[in-house]
Structures are given as structure tokens and as C-alpha cells.
């Protein structure tokens, strides 16, 4: 088991839990009594469950059970070399929740967590209580920043991501508007310390489906088509307006699909919005889930 450095463990003081899948062992946070219900929190790329640390602490203090897995290849989970697609990651999440016998839950998603989480939710909408959407997508889009497109160039992209950490490291200053404190920056980078550790980071970028020929296009199209199944669920759309990737076109797409959703826009927050505006977002999300 990987031991976190003391300065990171102080920020992320959650006992480790593990779940074995055919593709590798998933690490996950499982904390809180559950008296107020279950909350499943899904991160994206290149973050890990560390992203949710402050929200987990706040929700657990209110009596929620918080379950936050690290997708395989990310965080403290195993780092398999196998190329895992969107469909694989949905299946892993479903298997974990079945293993934990979680029948009803609210869902918080960020970045790739949106496609993965809504993949789970649209296949079992009766299990979903509330939804928190934060700078993410669960529908097709051809809108991709050039700096991310560069990381998809065959050969070149995966090499620079894995050899030079050219995705997780730039995210520590490109995904925020405020400078990260050194222990927080170290926390985001800790799981990706060598070439092999960055395989899933590179593969997540390559798994973004931009055309019908892409292997994950059909899976994402099916999620998009099934989004109306969740139209009656209470939803909060929390949005960092200074996100270079998930910009206002994505926010508008969520609003078009879920016009009754509550919204919380943070004008000075970037992609890692809980780092830039956590003092506002954490209590707002906790209040929304508690109401």
C-alpha cells in the first residue's frame, strides 16, 4: 500500500479501502455514517479523489457516507498498462457500488467523472437521489482546447504526457486561478511520479471521443440519449467560469438539458473550482445535498 507523505496525509486523512476488479485494484474513500444518505464522488483526469477532500470532510461531518473511488490508473489505485475505455470505467464503478451494496445515492461529478457517473446513473436512474455537476460533460462535443489536442497526437502526445508529466503538472497552474499551496500541489501530483504512473492520464486524453469512428463514441452517445431519464432529479450545476476546457458552451449545454437545475457560477474559478472557490462551493454543495 502506498504511504502518503505527512503533508499530503494531513490534507487527505481518510483510511484506505480497496476493491479488486479483473483489471486491477481500485482504491476508494469510504467515510461517514450514512445517516443522511450516500454520496458518490467521481473525479476526472488528471486528478484523483484528493480533489474532493474538503467536500468529503464537510459531508461526512453532516452524517453522509461518502464514497470516492480513484479510477484505475489514477490516484492510489493500481496502474495497469491496459487501455481502459469509458465503458470499462462505468463497469468498474457499477461493480464497486454493487460490492458496497449502495442502492440509493447522490452523485457528484467533475471532468471525466461526468461521463462515467452519468453512465452509471442513466442505467439505474431509480438509484439516484441528487446530482451535483461541476465543470464536466456527459454528452458529445467536438470542442477541445489545442493544448489538450496536442496530447492526443499519436506517438508524440502519450510520450510527452508520460515522460514529462505534461498533463498533470501543467494542470496544477492551468486548472486554477489561485496559486496552489505547495502541499496541495504535491497532493495532485503524488500519484503520477514516473512514466508508468502516467499511462492512464495519457489514455484518458486519447479516449475523448470526437468522431463516430472513435471506440468510445457509441458509449457516450448512449449516455447523452439517456439523460432525459434524470430530468426529474434535483441537480446543482456548480461552474468555474475561468475553465479553459469546460467553458460556457458546456455550461449552456447542461442548462439546455436540465433547465430546472440550480446553478452556482464562480466567476474567478478555473477547472479545479473547488481549489479556487472551495470556501463558497463546499458549504453550498453540502446545503444542497442536505436540503
Amino acid at each position: 500500500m502506498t504511504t502518503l507523505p505527512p503533508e499530503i496525509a494531513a490534507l487527505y486523512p481518510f483510511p484506505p479501502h480497496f476493491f479488486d476488479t479483473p483489471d486491477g485494484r481500485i482504491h476508494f474513500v469510504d467515510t461517514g455514517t450514512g445517516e443522511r444518505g450516500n454520496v458518490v464522488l467521481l473525479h476526472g483526469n488528471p486528478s484523483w479523489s484528493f480533489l474532493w477532500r474538503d467536500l468529503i470532510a464537510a459531508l461526512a461531518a453532516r452524517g453522509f457516507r461518502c464514497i470516492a473511488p480513484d479510477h484505475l490508473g489514477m490516484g492510489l489505485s493500481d496502474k495497469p498498462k491496459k487501455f481502459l475505455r469509458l465503458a470499462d470505467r462505468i463497469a468498474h464503478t457499477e461493480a464497486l457500488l454493487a460490492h458496497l451494496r449502495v442502492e440509493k445515492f447522490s452523485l457528484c461529478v467533475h471532468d471525466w467523472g461526468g461521463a462515467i457517473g452519468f453512465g452509471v446513473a442513466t442505467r439505474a436512474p431509480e438509484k439516484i437521489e441528487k446530482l451535483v455537476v461541476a465543470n464536466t460533460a456527459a454528452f458529445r462535443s467536438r470542442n477541445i482546447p489545442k493544448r489538450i489536442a496536442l496530447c492526443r497526437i499519436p506517438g508524440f502526445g502519450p510520450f510527452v504526457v508520460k515522460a514529462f508529466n505534461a498533463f498533470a503538472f501543467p494542470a496544477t497552474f492551468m486548472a486554477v486561478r489561485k496559486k496552489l499551496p505547495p502541499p496541495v500541489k504535491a497532493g495532485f501530483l503524488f500519484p503520477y511520479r514516473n512514466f508508468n504512473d502516467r499511462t492512464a492520464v495519457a489514455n484518458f486524453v486519447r479516449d475523448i471521443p470526437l468522431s463516430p469512428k472513435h471506440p468510445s463514441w457509441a458509449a457516450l452517445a448512449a449516455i447523452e440519449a439517456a439523460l432525459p431519464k434524470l430530468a426529474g432529479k434535483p441537480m446543482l450545476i456548480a461552474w468555474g467560469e475561468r475553465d479553459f476546457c469546460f467553458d460556457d458552451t458546456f455550461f449552456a449545454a447542461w442548462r439546455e438539458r436540465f433547465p430546472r437545475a440550480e446553478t452556482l457560477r464562480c466567476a474567478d474559478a478555473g477547472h479545479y473550482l473547488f481549489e479556487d472557490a472551495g470556501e463558497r462551493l463546499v458549504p453550498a454543495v453540502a446545503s444542497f445535498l442536505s436540503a
Side-chain angles (χ1 to χ4, degrees):
M1 185 183 73
T2 301
T3 301
L4 293 173
E7 66 273 17
I8 299 175
L11 299 172
Y12 184 85
F14 309 112
H17 299 272
F18 296 94
F19 171 66
D20 289 319
T21 78
D23 296 317
R25 188 174 70 158
I26 289 176
H27 165 266
F28 63 98
V29 174
D30 186 354
T31 189
T33 63
E35 294 174 4
R36 300 289 296 274
N38 304 308
V39 182
V40 176
L41 306 100
L42 300 179
H43 69 85
N45 184 36
S47 62
W48 55 294
S49 56
F50 182 81
L51 174 90
W52 300 112
R53 64 195 183 282
D54 293 335
L55 183 57
I56 289 171
L59 292 175
R62 290 190 178 215
F64 288 97
R65 180 189 184 188
C66 297
I67 299 163
D70 294 334
H71 306 305
L72 274 176
M74 315 293 284
L76 306 183
S77 292
D78 282 352
K79 306 291 192 299
K81 294 182 179 179
K82 177 182 178 181
F83 197 124
L84 298 168
R85 299 284 182 186
L86 170 59
D88 298 314
R89 299 188 179 284
I90 293 170
H92 296 155
T93 306
E94 289 177 325
L96 172 62
L97 296 180
H99 169 71
L100 296 176
R101 299 182 180 179
V102 176
E103 293 299 325
K104 296 278 188 180
F105 59 95
S106 293
L107 184 64
C108 297
V109 296
H110 178 259
D111 192 89
W112 263 103
I116 298 167
F118 275 79
V120 173
T122 52
R123 299 212 293 217
E126 71 282 357
K127 295 183 178 182
I128 303 300
E129 295 179 328
K130 295 183 179 183
L131 296 156
V132 177
V133 172
N135 289 65
T136 184
F139 39 79
R140 294 163 294 174
S141 172
R142 298 180 190 271
N143 184 1
I144 183 171
K146 291 181 179 179
R147 61 189 92 176
I148 293 179
L150 286 172
C151 296
R152 290 168 54 89
I153 297 174
F156 171 79
F159 175 75
V160 297
V161 169
K162 292 194 282 185
F164 301 105
N165 209 12
F167 203 79
F169 176 71
T172 61
F173 54 87
M174 290 169 55
V176 290
R177 307 306 300 175
K178 297 178 182 178
K179 185 176 181 179
L180 293 176
V184 175
K185 180 179 179 179
F188 276 108
L189 294 177
F190 179 78
Y192 313 117
R193 300 186 300 282
N194 59 56
F195 189 93
N196 182 66
D197 285 350
R198 302 162 190 161
T199 297
V201 175
N203 290 349
F204 257 121
V205 178
R206 294 166 63 198
D207 201 38
I208 300 170
L210 298 177
S211 79
K213 295 180 181 180
H214 191 281
S216 289
W217 180 270
L220 187 57
I223 295 168
E224 181 179 354
L227 289 177
K229 294 181 181 180
L230 300 168
K233 305 292 183 180
M235 177 184 287
L236 172 64
I237 305 173
W239 211 260
E241 295 184 3
R242 302 293 296 277
D243 190 341
F244 72 92
C245 181
F246 291 96
D247 58 21
D248 275 353
T249 62
F250 289 92
F251 177 81
W254 282 110
R255 290 287 292 139
E256 181 180 356
R257 289 172 171 84
F258 297 94
R260 294 192 295 172
E262 297 181 34
T263 61
L264 178 56
R265 295 171 66 97
C266 299
D268 295 326
H271 183 59
Y272 286 170
L273 66 166
F274 284 89
E275 303 303 326
D276 284 331
E279 70 284 350
R280 180 183 177 197
L281 285 168
V282 168
V285 172
S287 294
F288 169 76
L289 293 174
S290 299

